[in-house]
């Protein structure tokens, strides 16, 4: 994997006089030259608005845009391209489901089941929906610092006949926990409960097969998987999408418009009002081609091995508190150093060229559950190395000395 670093031009630089060690991949990944070049070629040769245009550039752009939809369907093994909706990212995908499927199907007294490790993007849209409909939120608990879902309580929660939706993260962006998505969806499906999987930290880091997982919806973002910013995907089972009303109104999502009434296109175009990020879709296509060449299972093994090594190395530091499972975690290690705020850790680490993230990571309810207000987080991707973990350990050791700990 280390040989692939040369594909990422941004990694070959110094920050504050030190070689860059980029360990903020859970926030966004870096982009390979393959993706950058694909975007440049598109803008140089084919840029034009998609659909409806009769001229040659519009035709080329439309072909590229819909080819990207086909590529996404193949990448996640959807049954057909019509199950792929392009969005701005995971957040918009979840909001789309909340404001269409949720608004139509949930009512007062219904329950939305979430987990205590959810990102705000998979909490706030449901809070807003619950406030409008009278539905309530219930959470599957997390077990201590180890950060595992309390699976023993899942069935009891799902057995409540008021539960209509189970929305959960595939991989925790703070804990690194990899949830058993196939098992959780199967448990919900037996009770005819609709499922939504937040795959923002999973897509591009492991093989994601929506048919194997058995989910009804899945959302993820391109920028966390070597693709451009501002492009994401919502997968939805075709039969569910066909029964959902539009998310937004505007151009390209209509079949016809009169002064007082309109009719809508079929899915997925019904949910893509306005000019889409067609260039972003082209970049996402290139990113998926690149990741497929690298091998998603190889990436998953690398993430797991490197995070395990990081967990082992950081545990040698005195006064450190580590969060998440000790084994079988994704490429995320969150921690706190005794008497040193996470923001101070991240600020000083940056002065040594190490890019971390500090804060609540859009996981404020989880932080409360853990009894902290923030953590520092190192997150890895396939272009990170054991030598960079050693550099992280060295820098954290120096930070402790600097603060007299």
């Amino acid at each position: 994997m280390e040989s692939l670093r040369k594909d990422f031009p941004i990694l070959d630089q110094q920050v504050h006089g030190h070689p860059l060690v980029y360990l903020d991949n859970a926030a966004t990944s870096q982009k390979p030259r393959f993706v950058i070049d694909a975007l440049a070629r598109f803008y140089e040769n084919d840029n034009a608005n998609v659909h409806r245009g009769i001229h040659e550039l519009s035709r080329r752009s439309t072909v590229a845009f819909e080819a990207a939809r086909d590529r996404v369907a193949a990448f996640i093994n959807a049954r057909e391209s019509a199950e792929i909706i392009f969005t701005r990212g995971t957040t918009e995908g979840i909001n789309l489901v909340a404001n269409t499927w949720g608004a139509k199907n949930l009512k007062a007294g219904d329950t939305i089941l979430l987990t205590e490790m959810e990102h705000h993007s998979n909490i706030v849209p449901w809070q807003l929906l619950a406030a409008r409909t009278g539905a309530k939120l219930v959470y599957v608990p997390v077990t201590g610092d180890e950060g595992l879902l309390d699976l023993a309580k899942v069935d009891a929660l799902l057995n409540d006949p008021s539960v209509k939706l189970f929305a959960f993260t595939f991989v925790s962006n703070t804990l690194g926990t990899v949830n058993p998505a196939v098992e959780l969806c199967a448990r919900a499906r037996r009770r005819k409960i609709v499922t939504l999987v937040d795959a923002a930290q999973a897509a591009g880091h492991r093989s994601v097969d929506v048919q194997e997982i058995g989910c009804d919806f899945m959302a993820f973002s391109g920028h966390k998987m070597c693709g451009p910013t501002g492009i994401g995907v919502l997968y939805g089972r075709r039969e569910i999408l066909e029964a959902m009303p539009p998310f937004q109104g505007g151009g390209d999502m209509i079949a016809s418009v009169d002064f007082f009434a309109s009719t809508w296109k079929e899915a997925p175009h019904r949910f893509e009002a306005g000019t889409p990020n067609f260039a972003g879709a082209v970049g996402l296509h290139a990113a998926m081609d690149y990741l497929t060449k690298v091998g998603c299972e190889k990436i998953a093994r690398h993430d797991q091995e490197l995070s395990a090594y990081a967990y082992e190395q950081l545990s040698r530091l005195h006064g450190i508190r580590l969060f998440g499972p000790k084994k079988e975690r994704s490429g995320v290690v969150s921690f706190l150093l005794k008497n040193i705020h996470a923001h101070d850790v991240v600020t000083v680490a940056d002065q040594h060229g190490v890019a971390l993230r500090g804060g609540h990571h859009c996981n404020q309810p989880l932080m409360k559950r853990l009894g902290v207000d923030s953590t520092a987080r190192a997150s890895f991707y396939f272009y990170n190395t054991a030598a960079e973990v050693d550099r992280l350990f060295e820098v954290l050791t120096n930070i402790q000395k600097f603060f007299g700990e």
Side-chain angles (χ1 to χ4, degrees), residues 182-250:
V182 174
E183 177 187 347
L184 293 174
C185 286
R187 293 188 188 190
R189 190 166 55 251
R190 286 195 292 268
R191 297 161 175 85
K192 297 183 179 180
I193 295 170
V194 172
T195 51
L196 181 147
V197 177
D198 173 354
Q201 300 294 336
H205 286 264
R206 59 189 58 244
S207 293
V208 174
D209 184 328
V210 292
Q211 294 192 65
E212 178 186 7
I213 293 169
C215 55
D216 296 299
F217 297 103
M218 176 180 285
F220 56 93
S221 302
H223 73 96
K224 296 180 189 288
M225 51 186 294
C226 295
T229 56
I231 188 71
V233 171
L234 174 67
Y235 157 81
R237 285 199 298 112
R238 178 68 179 269
E239 51 269 36
I240 294 182
L241 294 180
E242 287 178 343
M244 287 164 45
F247 176 40
Q248 297 175 321

Side-chain angles (χ1 to χ4, degrees), residues 56 62 93 96 168 179 183 202 237 261 272 288 309 320 360 372 394:
E56 175 62 14
T62 300
L96 190 159
F168 63 90
N179 287 319
E183 177 187 347
R237 285 199 298 112
E272 295 177 352
M288 290 183 171
Y309 179 63
I320 191 170
H360 53 65
V372 300
E394 177 187 359

Side-chain angles (χ1 to χ4, degrees), residues 106-107 109-111 136 155-165 191-193:
L106 297 181
K107 61 185 186 305
D110 287 341
T111 296
K136 62 180 180 178
D155 281 337
L157 292 169
L158 290 174
N159 280 335
D160 181 345
S162 72
V163 176
K164 298 296 188 293
L165 174 76
R191 297 161 175 85
K192 297 183 179 180
I193 295 170

Side-chain angles (χ1 to χ4, degrees), residues 100-113:
T100 55
W101 181 89
K104 180 178 180 180
N105 291 281
L106 297 181
K107 61 185 186 305
D110 287 341
T111 296
I112 302 165
L113 183 62

Side-chain angles (χ1 to χ4, degrees), residues 126-351:
W126 306 117
Q127 290 176 340
L128 294 172
L129 179 64
R132 294 197 304 271
T133 63
K136 62 180 180 178
L137 306 181
V138 174
Y139 291 85
V140 179
V142 170
T143 60
D145 284 4
E146 191 176 12
L148 299 175
L149 282 185
D150 190 344
L151 296 177
K153 295 184 178 178
V154 170
D155 281 337
L157 292 169
L158 290 174
N159 280 335
D160 181 345
S162 72
V163 176
K164 298 296 188 293
L165 174 76
F166 184 21
F168 63 90
T169 186
F170 196 155
V171 176
S172 168
N173 69 305
T174 289
L175 299 167
T177 306
V178 181
N179 287 319
V182 174
E183 177 187 347
L184 293 174
C185 286
R187 293 188 188 190
R189 190 166 55 251
R190 286 195 292 268
R191 297 161 175 85
K192 297 183 179 180
I193 295 170
V194 172
T195 51
L196 181 147
V197 177
D198 173 354
Q201 300 294 336
H205 286 264
R206 59 189 58 244
S207 293
V208 174
D209 184 328
V210 292
Q211 294 192 65
E212 178 186 7
I213 293 169
C215 55
D216 296 299
F217 297 103
M218 176 180 285
F220 56 93
S221 302
H223 73 96
K224 296 180 189 288
M225 51 186 294
C226 295
T229 56
I231 188 71
V233 171
L234 174 67
Y235 157 81
R237 285 199 298 112
R238 178 68 179 269
E239 51 269 36
I240 294 182
L241 294 180
E242 287 178 343
M244 287 164 45
F247 176 40
Q248 297 175 321
D252 209 28
M253 50 77 69
I254 52 88
S256 65
V257 175
D258 201 347
F259 283 114
F260 301 104
S262 301
T263 59
W264 324 123
K265 289 183 178 178
E266 295 183 354
H269 302 291
R270 179 187 307 167
F271 305 104
E272 295 177 352
T275 297
N277 185 359
F278 46 84
V282 169
L284 181 59
H285 188 158
M288 290 183 171
D289 284 347
Y290 180 85
L291 292 171
T292 298
K293 184 177 179 180
V294 175
C296 288
E297 287 306 314
K298 290 181 180 179
I299 294 171
R301 285 197 301 271
H302 180 81
D303 282 359
Q304 184 173 336
E305 290 169 1
L306 200 60
S307 63
Y309 179 63
Y311 193 99
E312 177 185 358
Q313 289 293 86
L314 296 190
S315 65
R316 295 166 50 203
L317 295 167
H318 70 272
I320 191 170
R321 181 180 174 187
L322 291 159
F323 300 89
K326 295 180 180 180
K327 298 180 179 179
E328 297 183 1
R329 61 161 62 237
S330 71
V332 174
V333 177
S334 289
F335 60 92
L336 283 176
L337 298 179
K338 184 179 179 181
N339 298 328
I340 309 175
H341 196 279
H343 289 167
D344 293 328
V345 171
V346 173
T347 300
V348 179
D350 174 63
Q351 296 302 308

Side-chain angles (χ1 to χ4, degrees), residues 368-389:
K368 292 177 182 177
R369 175 70 176 81
L370 298 172
V372 300
D373 61 4
S374 63
T375 70
R377 182 184 71 190
S379 51
F380 311 101
Y381 211 7
F382 58 89
Y383 42 69
N384 291 123
T385 67
E388 290 183 314
V389 173

